Amino acid sequence: MPQTTSPSRLPTASLAGYPATVIHVRCAVASARRVVVLVATLAVATPALARVPAKVCRETCPGLVAQECAGLRKKKLKRCRAKIIRRCRRGTLVCGATTTTLPIAPGCPVTFVVSDPYPGGTDQTVAIADVNRDAKRDVVLGANGAVMVRLGNGDGTLGPLAGYDPGGDVRGVAIADVTGDGSPDIVAANFMDAPPPTGPSTVVNASVLPNLGNGTFGQAVPYFVGTRDFHDVVAADFNGDQKPDLAVATQPSVVVLLNDGNGAFGAAGELPVDTIGRAVAAADLNGDGKLDLAATKGGPPGGNGAVAIFLGDGTGGFGSPVSYEVGRFPYSIVAGDVNGDGTVDLATANNNSTDMSVLIGNGNGTFAASVTYDAGGLPTSLAGGDFDGNARLDFVISAGPNATVGRFMNLGDGTFAAVVPTFTAGSAALASGDLDGDGKADVASATALGLRVLLSRCQ
């Protein structure tokens, strides 16, 4: 049996900025060597995604499960148990003789180092992912008539621009292995003019650009979505077959296309949103292990917008929408755990009310009333990531005069400090991911004038 150790015997450098609760659990169950290696690895890689091993939580949490889930049966008992295990794995709950929720370690004061612009700009959409499987994050951009890729060098710099024809003007991109060959493909939601008189003036497609295995991409394969305006696309497994499906935000519905298992997509199904919708996110909002959808709604003229929640049934179907009010005309949406309770929360960037709304999830698919934060201008894009290393979700937003990129830093409890302007970029599309391998999220800011990389740094 490995000898256990206390936190005081570990090198402090390997623990810097790491959640104290996660360290506490690991120190109680692992040897000194294993703790040092595991913590150092996660601190360098992705501390925002660090998890206590599931086995540890299953072995130490039965007492709390029996106490908190007493009297529940079948599905409700399973959900209750799963929520406790998630909180344990996130490090916000320590199970054992002294079960308690511990405070999160404070993050460092953050600044961003802004790169010179890379040529090949667009203000439509941008994503960060490792498309060539070299453990370095790359940047994918969608533009009018093109998908563009810059491979990352792992140090925050990017390689040459490669362009691909998606078959139309792109408004949304998603990265996922839809063909099942182990390499992430690009899905581009795009539109094109249909040649008269054969059809409507606009045809919307979700085009799959297959990865050739090395971060280059083959000819786009289009799948028909509809004939209405659209803005966003997500790829996620909605029917539990381990194959990514697609959801496209259109006006006035969310269109779902299910993967046939071979990387092709069947006929589209529609989920009514009723008003102008621009953004959609996929996440397990009620803790039942099945992915749900959250879609933005524009709202009546002069009135607030909303987020429509569609709970998934695990077979590719969704229930009737339930709406939660946010600011006016939400342009962008992010799903993630902002307060560390193990449940998914939502945030929207609201263009006409010049603010960000945060909806705290109750863990059962419902949400508390939204809390708003002034963005300082008309926001068009929102991205989330842990920029200061405290394992809490922060946000960057494109808003303000001349579309200033600003940051909302999480105070640790799911509330946020006032927005801090970073730099003026012009109208920008934003994405977040670790581009330099230091374990903290960075930002890709895409404008019509070029692409900039914002590297997060502790002051």
PDB file of all heavy atoms in Angstrom, residues 140-176:
ATOM      1  N   VAL A 140      -9.645  27.801 -35.959  1.00  0.00           N
ATOM      2  CA  VAL A 140     -10.466  27.636 -37.162  1.00  0.00           C
ATOM      3  C   VAL A 140     -11.382  28.844 -37.282  1.00  0.00           C
ATOM      4  O   VAL A 140     -12.040  29.230 -36.308  1.00  0.00           O
ATOM      5  CB  VAL A 140     -11.305  26.351 -37.091  1.00  0.00           C
ATOM      6  CG1 VAL A 140     -12.199  26.221 -38.316  1.00  0.00           C
ATOM      7  CG2 VAL A 140     -10.403  25.127 -36.947  1.00  0.00           C
ATOM      8  N   LEU A 141     -11.426  29.456 -38.459  1.00  0.00           N
ATOM      9  CA  LEU A 141     -12.252  30.633 -38.700  1.00  0.00           C
ATOM     10  C   LEU A 141     -13.249  30.363 -39.821  1.00  0.00           C
ATOM     11  O   LEU A 141     -12.931  29.670 -40.800  1.00  0.00           O
ATOM     12  CB  LEU A 141     -11.397  31.841 -39.076  1.00  0.00           C
ATOM     13  CG  LEU A 141     -10.304  32.256 -38.099  1.00  0.00           C
ATOM     14  CD1 LEU A 141      -8.943  31.833 -38.653  1.00  0.00           C
ATOM     15  CD2 LEU A 141     -10.320  33.750 -37.846  1.00  0.00           C
ATOM     16  N   GLY A 142     -14.454  30.919 -39.680  1.00  0.00           N
ATOM     17  CA  GLY A 142     -15.444  30.867 -40.736  1.00  0.00           C
ATOM     18  C   GLY A 142     -15.670  32.247 -41.303  1.00  0.00           C
ATOM     19  O   GLY A 142     -15.847  33.213 -40.552  1.00  0.00           O
ATOM     20  N   ALA A 143     -15.676  32.364 -42.627  1.00  0.00           N
ATOM     21  CA  ALA A 143     -15.790  33.662 -43.294  1.00  0.00           C
ATOM     22  C   ALA A 143     -16.732  33.532 -44.480  1.00  0.00           C
ATOM     23  O   ALA A 143     -17.299  32.464 -44.746  1.00  0.00           O
ATOM     24  CB  ALA A 143     -14.415  34.149 -43.742  1.00  0.00           C
ATOM     25  N   ASN A 144     -16.928  34.605 -45.178  1.00  0.00           N
ATOM     26  CA  ASN A 144     -17.729  34.571 -46.392  1.00  0.00           C
ATOM     27  C   ASN A 144     -16.999  33.764 -47.456  1.00  0.00           C
ATOM     28  O   ASN A 144     -15.963  34.182 -47.969  1.00  0.00           O
ATOM     29  CB  ASN A 144     -18.006  35.983 -46.896  1.00  0.00           C
ATOM     30  CG  ASN A 144     -18.976  36.730 -46.021  1.00  0.00           C
ATOM     31  OD1 ASN A 144     -19.761  36.118 -45.301  1.00  0.00           O
ATOM     32  ND2 ASN A 144     -18.936  38.049 -46.067  1.00  0.00           N
ATOM     33  N   GLY A 145     -17.536  32.594 -47.760  1.00  0.00           N
ATOM     34  CA  GLY A 145     -16.971  31.766 -48.808  1.00  0.00           C
ATOM     35  C   GLY A 145     -15.747  30.970 -48.415  1.00  0.00           C
ATOM     36  O   GLY A 145     -15.098  30.378 -49.296  1.00  0.00           O
ATOM     37  N   ALA A 146     -15.405  30.890 -47.127  1.00  0.00           N
ATOM     38  CA  ALA A 146     -14.179  30.185 -46.765  1.00  0.00           C
ATOM     39  C   ALA A 146     -14.204  29.700 -45.323  1.00  0.00           C
ATOM     40  O   ALA A 146     -14.812  30.329 -44.447  1.00  0.00           O
ATOM     41  CB  ALA A 146     -12.961  31.087 -46.977  1.00  0.00           C
ATOM     42  N   VAL A 147     -13.546  28.570 -45.107  1.00  0.00           N
ATOM     43  CA  VAL A 147     -13.120  28.138 -43.774  1.00  0.00           C
ATOM     44  C   VAL A 147     -11.606  28.213 -43.775  1.00  0.00           C
ATOM     45  O   VAL A 147     -10.944  27.714 -44.699  1.00  0.00           O
ATOM     46  CB  VAL A 147     -13.591  26.705 -43.468  1.00  0.00           C
ATOM     47  CG1 VAL A 147     -12.865  26.142 -42.262  1.00  0.00           C
ATOM     48  CG2 VAL A 147     -15.082  26.677 -43.231  1.00  0.00           C
ATOM     49  N   MET A 148     -11.037  28.842 -42.739  1.00  0.00           N
ATOM     50  CA  MET A 148      -9.599  29.033 -42.669  1.00  0.00           C
ATOM     51  C   MET A 148      -9.048  28.389 -41.401  1.00  0.00           C
ATOM     52  O   MET A 148      -9.689  28.442 -40.344  1.00  0.00           O
ATOM     53  CB  MET A 148      -9.264  30.523 -42.698  1.00  0.00           C
ATOM     54  CG  MET A 148      -9.740  31.220 -43.977  1.00  0.00           C
ATOM     55  SD  MET A 148      -9.465  33.005 -43.970  1.00  0.00           S
ATOM     56  CE  MET A 148     -10.731  33.546 -42.812  1.00  0.00           C
ATOM     57  N   VAL A 149      -7.869  27.789 -41.520  1.00  0.00           N
ATOM     58  CA  VAL A 149      -7.254  27.079 -40.407  1.00  0.00           C
ATOM     59  C   VAL A 149      -5.821  27.560 -40.228  1.00  0.00           C
ATOM     60  O   VAL A 149      -5.065  27.667 -41.201  1.00  0.00           O
ATOM     61  CB  VAL A 149      -7.260  25.553 -40.644  1.00  0.00           C
ATOM     62  CG1 VAL A 149      -6.568  24.824 -39.484  1.00  0.00           C
ATOM     63  CG2 VAL A 149      -8.684  25.043 -40.823  1.00  0.00           C
ATOM     64  N   ARG A 150      -5.482  27.856 -38.980  1.00  0.00           N
ATOM     65  CA  ARG A 150      -4.085  28.105 -38.610  1.00  0.00           C
ATOM     66  C   ARG A 150      -3.711  27.107 -37.517  1.00  0.00           C
ATOM     67  O   ARG A 150      -4.322  27.091 -36.443  1.00  0.00           O
ATOM     68  CB  ARG A 150      -3.876  29.532 -38.106  1.00  0.00           C
ATOM     69  CG  ARG A 150      -3.898  30.599 -39.203  1.00  0.00           C
ATOM     70  CD  ARG A 150      -3.489  31.957 -38.669  1.00  0.00           C
ATOM     71  NE  ARG A 150      -3.535  33.000 -39.687  1.00  0.00           N
ATOM     72  CZ  ARG A 150      -2.536  33.296 -40.514  1.00  0.00           C
ATOM     73  NH1 ARG A 150      -1.393  32.604 -40.424  1.00  0.00           N
ATOM     74  NH2 ARG A 150      -2.653  34.248 -41.398  1.00  0.00           N
ATOM     75  N   LEU A 151      -2.701  26.276 -37.797  1.00  0.00           N
ATOM     76  CA  LEU A 151      -2.255  25.297 -36.813  1.00  0.00           C
ATOM     77  C   LEU A 151      -1.414  25.983 -35.747  1.00  0.00           C
ATOM     78  O   LEU A 151      -0.570  26.838 -36.044  1.00  0.00           O
ATOM     79  CB  LEU A 151      -1.452  24.188 -37.486  1.00  0.00           C
ATOM     80  CG  LEU A 151      -2.206  23.370 -38.543  1.00  0.00           C
ATOM     81  CD1 LEU A 151      -1.285  22.304 -39.123  1.00  0.00           C
ATOM     82  CD2 LEU A 151      -3.454  22.733 -37.954  1.00  0.00           C
ATOM     83  N   GLY A 152      -1.643  25.598 -34.493  1.00  0.00           N
ATOM     84  CA  GLY A 152      -0.899  26.192 -33.393  1.00  0.00           C
ATOM     85  C   GLY A 152       0.483  25.577 -33.233  1.00  0.00           C
ATOM     86  O   GLY A 152       0.691  24.386 -33.491  1.00  0.00           O
ATOM     87  N   ASN A 153       1.428  26.398 -32.768  1.00  0.00           N
ATOM     88  CA  ASN A 153       2.788  25.934 -32.514  1.00  0.00           C
ATOM     89  C   ASN A 153       3.001  25.503 -31.065  1.00  0.00           C
ATOM     90  O   ASN A 153       4.086  25.037 -30.711  1.00  0.00           O
ATOM     91  CB  ASN A 153       3.789  27.038 -32.871  1.00  0.00           C
ATOM     92  CG  ASN A 153       3.749  27.394 -34.349  1.00  0.00           C
ATOM     93  OD1 ASN A 153       3.673  26.500 -35.195  1.00  0.00           O
ATOM     94  ND2 ASN A 153       3.789  28.679 -34.667  1.00  0.00           N
ATOM     95  N   GLY A 154       1.973  25.682 -30.226  1.00  0.00           N
ATOM     96  CA  GLY A 154       2.071  25.276 -28.840  1.00  0.00           C
ATOM     97  C   GLY A 154       2.628  26.320 -27.913  1.00  0.00           C
ATOM     98  O   GLY A 154       2.627  26.130 -26.689  1.00  0.00           O
ATOM     99  N   ASP A 155       3.088  27.441 -28.455  1.00  0.00           N
ATOM    100  CA  ASP A 155       3.656  28.509 -27.635  1.00  0.00           C
ATOM    101  C   ASP A 155       2.843  29.798 -27.730  1.00  0.00           C
ATOM    102  O   ASP A 155       3.311  30.861 -27.314  1.00  0.00           O
ATOM    103  CB  ASP A 155       5.105  28.788 -28.040  1.00  0.00           C
ATOM    104  CG  ASP A 155       5.245  29.176 -29.521  1.00  0.00           C
ATOM    105  OD1 ASP A 155       4.212  29.242 -30.232  1.00  0.00           O
ATOM    106  OD2 ASP A 155       6.390  29.402 -29.974  1.00  0.00           O
ATOM    107  N   GLY A 156       1.632  29.710 -28.282  1.00  0.00           N
ATOM    108  CA  GLY A 156       0.792  30.893 -28.435  1.00  0.00           C
ATOM    109  C   GLY A 156       0.895  31.532 -29.798  1.00  0.00           C
ATOM    110  O   GLY A 156       0.158  32.476 -30.095  1.00  0.00           O
ATOM    111  N   THR A 157       1.806  31.029 -30.640  1.00  0.00           N
ATOM    112  CA  THR A 157       1.900  31.532 -32.012  1.00  0.00           C
ATOM    113  C   THR A 157       1.211  30.541 -32.948  1.00  0.00           C
ATOM    114  O   THR A 157       0.987  29.377 -32.603  1.00  0.00           O
ATOM    115  CB  THR A 157       3.358  31.736 -32.449  1.00  0.00           C
ATOM    116  OG1 THR A 157       4.037  30.468 -32.440  1.00  0.00           O
ATOM    117  CG2 THR A 157       4.064  32.702 -31.503  1.00  0.00           C
ATOM    118  N   LEU A 158       0.918  31.017 -34.158  1.00  0.00           N
ATOM    119  CA  LEU A 158       0.166  30.220 -35.123  1.00  0.00           C
ATOM    120  C   LEU A 158       0.916  30.098 -36.435  1.00  0.00           C
ATOM    121  O   LEU A 158       1.698  30.979 -36.815  1.00  0.00           O
ATOM    122  CB  LEU A 158      -1.205  30.856 -35.378  1.00  0.00           C
ATOM    123  CG  LEU A 158      -2.099  31.070 -34.154  1.00  0.00           C
ATOM    124  CD1 LEU A 158      -3.360  31.834 -34.565  1.00  0.00           C
ATOM    125  CD2 LEU A 158      -2.462  29.742 -33.503  1.00  0.00           C
ATOM    126  N   GLY A 159       0.675  29.006 -37.150  1.00  0.00           N
ATOM    127  CA  GLY A 159       1.329  28.756 -38.418  1.00  0.00           C
ATOM    128  C   GLY A 159       0.620  29.418 -39.584  1.00  0.00           C
ATOM    129  O   GLY A 159      -0.302  30.229 -39.412  1.00  0.00           O
ATOM    130  N   PRO A 160       1.004  29.043 -40.794  1.00  0.00           N
ATOM    131  CA  PRO A 160       0.439  29.668 -41.990  1.00  0.00           C
ATOM    132  C   PRO A 160      -1.052  29.378 -42.143  1.00  0.00           C
ATOM    133  O   PRO A 160      -1.584  28.413 -41.604  1.00  0.00           O
ATOM    134  CB  PRO A 160       1.238  29.015 -43.139  1.00  0.00           C
ATOM    135  CG  PRO A 160       2.463  28.466 -42.502  1.00  0.00           C
ATOM    136  CD  PRO A 160       2.089  28.087 -41.115  1.00  0.00           C
ATOM    137  N   LEU A 161      -1.700  30.229 -42.936  1.00  0.00           N
ATOM    138  CA  LEU A 161      -3.134  30.125 -43.165  1.00  0.00           C
ATOM    139  C   LEU A 161      -3.417  29.117 -44.275  1.00  0.00           C
ATOM    140  O   LEU A 161      -2.792  29.148 -45.330  1.00  0.00           O
ATOM    141  CB  LEU A 161      -3.688  31.491 -43.549  1.00  0.00           C
ATOM    142  CG  LEU A 161      -5.200  31.611 -43.714  1.00  0.00           C
ATOM    143  CD1 LEU A 161      -5.883  31.548 -42.356  1.00  0.00           C
ATOM    144  CD2 LEU A 161      -5.551  32.931 -44.418  1.00  0.00           C
ATOM    145  N   ALA A 162      -4.371  28.215 -44.014  1.00  0.00           N
ATOM    146  CA  ALA A 162      -4.859  27.298 -45.044  1.00  0.00           C
ATOM    147  C   ALA A 162      -6.350  27.540 -45.220  1.00  0.00           C
ATOM    148  O   ALA A 162      -7.084  27.656 -44.229  1.00  0.00           O
ATOM    149  CB  ALA A 162      -4.596  25.850 -44.642  1.00  0.00           C
ATOM    150  N   GLY A 163      -6.812  27.625 -46.456  1.00  0.00           N
ATOM    151  CA  GLY A 163      -8.205  27.930 -46.732  1.00  0.00           C
ATOM    152  C   GLY A 163      -8.921  26.781 -47.423  1.00  0.00           C
ATOM    153  O   GLY A 163      -8.310  26.029 -48.208  1.00  0.00           O
ATOM    154  N   TYR A 164     -10.226  26.651 -47.132  1.00  0.00           N
ATOM    155  CA  TYR A 164     -11.046  25.581 -47.698  1.00  0.00           C
ATOM    156  C   TYR A 164     -12.401  26.146 -48.075  1.00  0.00           C
ATOM    157  O   TYR A 164     -12.915  27.069 -47.442  1.00  0.00           O
ATOM    158  CB  TYR A 164     -11.219  24.441 -46.692  1.00  0.00           C
ATOM    159  CG  TYR A 164      -9.906  23.872 -46.208  1.00  0.00           C
ATOM    160  CD1 TYR A 164      -9.293  24.376 -45.059  1.00  0.00           C
ATOM    161  CD2 TYR A 164      -9.267  22.858 -46.916  1.00  0.00           C
ATOM    162  CE1 TYR A 164      -8.078  23.872 -44.621  1.00  0.00           C
ATOM    163  CE2 TYR A 164      -8.051  22.341 -46.483  1.00  0.00           C
ATOM    164  CZ  TYR A 164      -7.455  22.857 -45.339  1.00  0.00           C
ATOM    165  OH  TYR A 164      -6.252  22.364 -44.915  1.00  0.00           O
ATOM    166  N   ASP A 165     -12.990  25.554 -49.127  1.00  0.00           N
ATOM    167  CA  ASP A 165     -14.290  26.007 -49.626  1.00  0.00           C
ATOM    168  C   ASP A 165     -15.407  25.243 -48.927  1.00  0.00           C
ATOM    169  O   ASP A 165     -15.549  24.026 -49.131  1.00  0.00           O
ATOM    170  CB  ASP A 165     -14.365  25.786 -51.133  1.00  0.00           C
ATOM    171  CG  ASP A 165     -15.683  26.258 -51.733  1.00  0.00           C
ATOM    172  OD1 ASP A 165     -16.488  26.886 -51.001  1.00  0.00           O
ATOM    173  OD2 ASP A 165     -15.907  25.990 -52.925  1.00  0.00           O
ATOM    174  N   PRO A 166     -16.242  25.912 -48.123  1.00  0.00           N
ATOM    175  CA  PRO A 166     -17.340  25.219 -47.437  1.00  0.00           C
ATOM    176  C   PRO A 166     -18.610  25.140 -48.268  1.00  0.00           C
ATOM    177  O   PRO A 166     -19.582  24.509 -47.844  1.00  0.00           O
ATOM    178  CB  PRO A 166     -17.567  26.097 -46.213  1.00  0.00           C
ATOM    179  CG  PRO A 166     -17.237  27.475 -46.702  1.00  0.00           C
ATOM    180  CD  PRO A 166     -16.131  27.320 -47.723  1.00  0.00           C
ATOM    181  N   GLY A 167     -18.638  25.834 -49.407  1.00  0.00           N
ATOM    182  CA  GLY A 167     -19.820  25.830 -50.253  1.00  0.00           C
ATOM    183  C   GLY A 167     -20.746  27.002 -50.044  1.00  0.00           C
ATOM    184  O   GLY A 167     -21.824  27.055 -50.633  1.00  0.00           O
ATOM    185  N   GLY A 168     -20.361  27.974 -49.223  1.00  0.00           N
ATOM    186  CA  GLY A 168     -21.198  29.144 -48.978  1.00  0.00           C
ATOM    187  C   GLY A 168     -20.559  30.069 -47.969  1.00  0.00           C
ATOM    188  O   GLY A 168     -19.398  29.888 -47.577  1.00  0.00           O
ATOM    189  N   ASP A 169     -21.313  31.067 -47.537  1.00  0.00           N
ATOM    190  CA  ASP A 169     -20.830  32.027 -46.547  1.00  0.00           C
ATOM    191  C   ASP A 169     -21.099  31.483 -45.147  1.00  0.00           C
ATOM    192  O   ASP A 169     -22.240  31.158 -44.799  1.00  0.00           O
ATOM    193  CB  ASP A 169     -21.532  33.371 -46.725  1.00  0.00           C
ATOM    194  CG  ASP A 169     -21.157  34.039 -48.045  1.00  0.00           C
ATOM    195  OD1 ASP A 169     -20.143  33.633 -48.650  1.00  0.00           O
ATOM    196  OD2 ASP A 169     -21.886  34.957 -48.476  1.00  0.00           O
ATOM    197  N   VAL A 170     -20.065  31.407 -44.329  1.00  0.00           N
ATOM    198  CA  VAL A 170     -20.118  30.722 -43.047  1.00  0.00           C
ATOM    199  C   VAL A 170     -20.516  31.671 -41.933  1.00  0.00           C
ATOM    200  O   VAL A 170     -20.030  32.801 -41.862  1.00  0.00           O
ATOM    201  CB  VAL A 170     -18.755  30.068 -42.728  1.00  0.00           C
ATOM    202  CG1 VAL A 170     -18.795  29.357 -41.374  1.00  0.00           C
ATOM    203  CG2 VAL A 170     -18.361  29.097 -43.829  1.00  0.00           C
ATOM    204  N   ARG A 171     -21.420  31.199 -41.062  1.00  0.00           N
ATOM    205  CA  ARG A 171     -21.803  31.969 -39.872  1.00  0.00           C
ATOM    206  C   ARG A 171     -21.558  31.211 -38.572  1.00  0.00           C
ATOM    207  O   ARG A 171     -21.662  31.786 -37.490  1.00  0.00           O
ATOM    208  CB  ARG A 171     -23.276  32.360 -39.966  1.00  0.00           C
ATOM    209  CG  ARG A 171     -23.577  33.343 -41.083  1.00  0.00           C
ATOM    210  CD  ARG A 171     -22.886  34.665 -40.861  1.00  0.00           C
ATOM    211  NE  ARG A 171     -23.143  35.609 -41.948  1.00  0.00           N
ATOM    212  CZ  ARG A 171     -22.348  35.749 -43.009  1.00  0.00           C
ATOM    213  NH1 ARG A 171     -21.265  34.994 -43.127  1.00  0.00           N
ATOM    214  NH2 ARG A 171     -22.640  36.610 -43.958  1.00  0.00           N
ATOM    215  N   GLY A 172     -21.250  29.927 -38.663  1.00  0.00           N
ATOM    216  CA  GLY A 172     -20.961  29.160 -37.461  1.00  0.00           C
ATOM    217  C   GLY A 172     -20.100  27.957 -37.785  1.00  0.00           C
ATOM    218  O   GLY A 172     -20.236  27.366 -38.868  1.00  0.00           O
ATOM    219  N   VAL A 173     -19.167  27.590 -36.874  1.00  0.00           N
ATOM    220  CA  VAL A 173     -18.355  26.395 -37.058  1.00  0.00           C
ATOM    221  C   VAL A 173     -18.382  25.567 -35.776  1.00  0.00           C
ATOM    222  O   VAL A 173     -18.498  26.101 -34.672  1.00  0.00           O
ATOM    223  CB  VAL A 173     -16.893  26.710 -37.445  1.00  0.00           C
ATOM    224  CG1 VAL A 173     -16.817  27.376 -38.799  1.00  0.00           C
ATOM    225  CG2 VAL A 173     -16.211  27.555 -36.388  1.00  0.00           C
ATOM    226  N   ALA A 174     -18.293  24.250 -35.948  1.00  0.00           N
ATOM    227  CA  ALA A 174     -18.161  23.322 -34.831  1.00  0.00           C
ATOM    228  C   ALA A 174     -17.084  22.310 -35.202  1.00  0.00           C
ATOM    229  O   ALA A 174     -16.930  21.966 -36.377  1.00  0.00           O
ATOM    230  CB  ALA A 174     -19.487  22.620 -34.544  1.00  0.00           C
ATOM    231  N   ILE A 175     -16.345  21.843 -34.201  1.00  0.00           N
ATOM    232  CA  ILE A 175     -15.265  20.898 -34.423  1.00  0.00           C
ATOM    233  C   ILE A 175     -15.611  19.598 -33.702  1.00  0.00           C
ATOM    234  O   ILE A 175     -15.800  19.585 -32.481  1.00  0.00           O
ATOM    235  CB  ILE A 175     -13.920  21.441 -33.896  1.00  0.00           C
ATOM    236  CG1 ILE A 175     -13.717  22.909 -34.314  1.00  0.00           C
ATOM    237  CG2 ILE A 175     -12.774  20.567 -34.377  1.00  0.00           C
ATOM    238  CD1 ILE A 175     -13.636  23.135 -35.788  1.00  0.00           C
ATOM    239  N   ALA A 176     -15.697  18.496 -34.446  1.00  0.00           N
ATOM    240  CA  ALA A 176     -16.013  17.201 -33.844  1.00  0.00           C
ATOM    241  C   ALA A 176     -15.694  16.107 -34.844  1.00  0.00           C
ATOM    242  O   ALA A 176     -15.704  16.323 -36.066  1.00  0.00           O
ATOM    243  CB  ALA A 176     -17.492  17.133 -33.445  1.00  0.00           C
TER     244      ALA A 176
END
